[in-house]
Amino acid sequence: MPAWNESASITNVIKEIQQQVPATDILVVDDCSDDDTVSVARAAGAKVLRLPYNLGVGGARRLGYRYALENDYDIAVQMDADGQHDPRYIHDMMAALSESDLVIGARFAGEGQYKVRGPRQWAMRLLSYALSAIAGTKLTDTTSGYRACNRQLIAFYSRRYPVEYLGDTVDTIVQAKRAGFAIRQIPVAMRPRQGGTPSNSPGKALIYLLRSGLALLLALVRR
């Protein structure tokens, strides 16, 4: 669980995971927060690793996968610290790994009422259409950060998880498919943030569209 200044929500997220999957280990990777995220997460019962510099969500997740590899975990579930990802779906995502290596929790697959509009919606549709063709399966939410993977993909991501903008979503799917991993999605419902402030605005949505197209192009041409 990457976290940057999520002290307002992270306690509830950790407690929900503990209730839904009592036997799981919870790792928070703090990306140089300047609030109480670290102390709050530890007090709630999570293990915490701290990055020395702000590397973004991709860098935090790569460290998480490296930790999972070095500590011999069979399954890793990545999710956000803001409360939008509902831990009730963790069991379903782990079960789906019996037929795939990477499972994506998809917001636009018939579960819940989550909607986006404007340039952000256009970008998500573009990415979903292109990456569905690449992956050979229908993907409706390729930017979802709610995912589960098996031991083989943990080892792969611990070395090659991209850290650049949108690489943690677009590149991770393209890389996994090119390396021969099986990908599928299951429907999940997205919730409102439990704390913090979202960064959405019309201007940022347009930038997101342009960057999404560029990220997809780079992912397709990269070896």
Side-chain angles (χ1 to χ4, degrees):
M1 188 189 307
W4 181 70
N5 293 340
E6 297 288 2
S7 61
S9 59
I10 200 166
T11 294
N12 288 338
V13 175
I14 292 170
K15 294 302 182 184
E16 280 190 286
I17 297 172
Q18 292 168 339
Q19 291 171 1
Q20 296 296 327
V21 196
T24 195
D25 292 330
I26 302 172
L27 175 69
V28 172
V29 181
D30 179 70
D31 195 21
C32 284
S33 297
D34 53 21
D35 65 358
D36 297 328
T37 294
V38 171
S39 59
V40 168
R42 284 176 175 157
K47 301 177 182 180
V48 179
L49 298 178
R50 302 190 70 182
L51 289 168
Y53 306 100
N54 184 277
L55 297 180
V57 65
R61 284 179 178 154
R62 180 188 288 184
L63 178 57
Y65 282 114
R66 184 171 297 177
Y67 178 92
L69 176 67
E70 293 177 353
N71 288 274
D72 202 31
Y73 286 92
D74 294 317
I75 294 175
V77 178
Q78 67 173 56
M79 58 189 300
D80 294 344
D82 60 11
Q84 289 188 302
H85 296 158
D86 191 334
R88 290 181 300 172
Y89 294 98
I90 291 177
H91 289 289
D92 295 336
M93 296 176 72
M94 291 193 299
L97 285 173
S98 64
E99 301 175 356
S100 59
D101 303 294
L102 172 64
V103 175
I104 301 172
R107 293 167 286 185
F108 314 114
E111 186 89 1
Q113 303 297 320
Y114 187 87
K115 296 182 183 300
V116 293
R117 296 178 176 84
R120 191 173 183 87
Q121 181 187 51
W122 307 337
M124 287 181 172
R125 286 182 176 177
L126 168 66
L127 293 174
S128 294
Y129 178 81
L131 293 177
S132 292
I134 293 170
T137 187
K138 184 177 182 179
L139 301 175
T140 61
D141 190 10
T142 54
T143 62
S144 172
Y146 198 6
R147 303 183 180 189
C149 63
N150 60 17
R151 180 191 290 264
Q152 291 74 30
L153 197 53
I154 288 172
F156 181 81
Y157 280 158
S158 71
R159 303 186 306 271
R160 301 190 60 180
Y161 202 93
V163 300
E164 64 273 14
Y165 181 81
L166 283 179
D168 60 295
T169 55
V170 176
D171 256 3
T172 51
I173 294 174
V174 175
Q175 285 183 352
K177 182 60 180 179
R178 285 179 171 173
F181 293 103
I183 304 168
R184 64 169 296 190
Q185 69 175 27
I186 66 167
V188 302
M190 180 71 73
R191 306 183 300 189
R193 289 179 61 99
Q194 295 181 9
T197 303
S199 58
N200 296 334
S201 71
K204 289 181 178 179
L206 181 58
I207 293 173
Y208 182 90
L209 172 61
L210 297 175
R211 287 182 172 179
S212 296
L214 179 59
L216 176 60
L217 177 62
L218 292 174
L220 293 176
V221 301
R222 181 177 295 151
R223 297 294 182 183

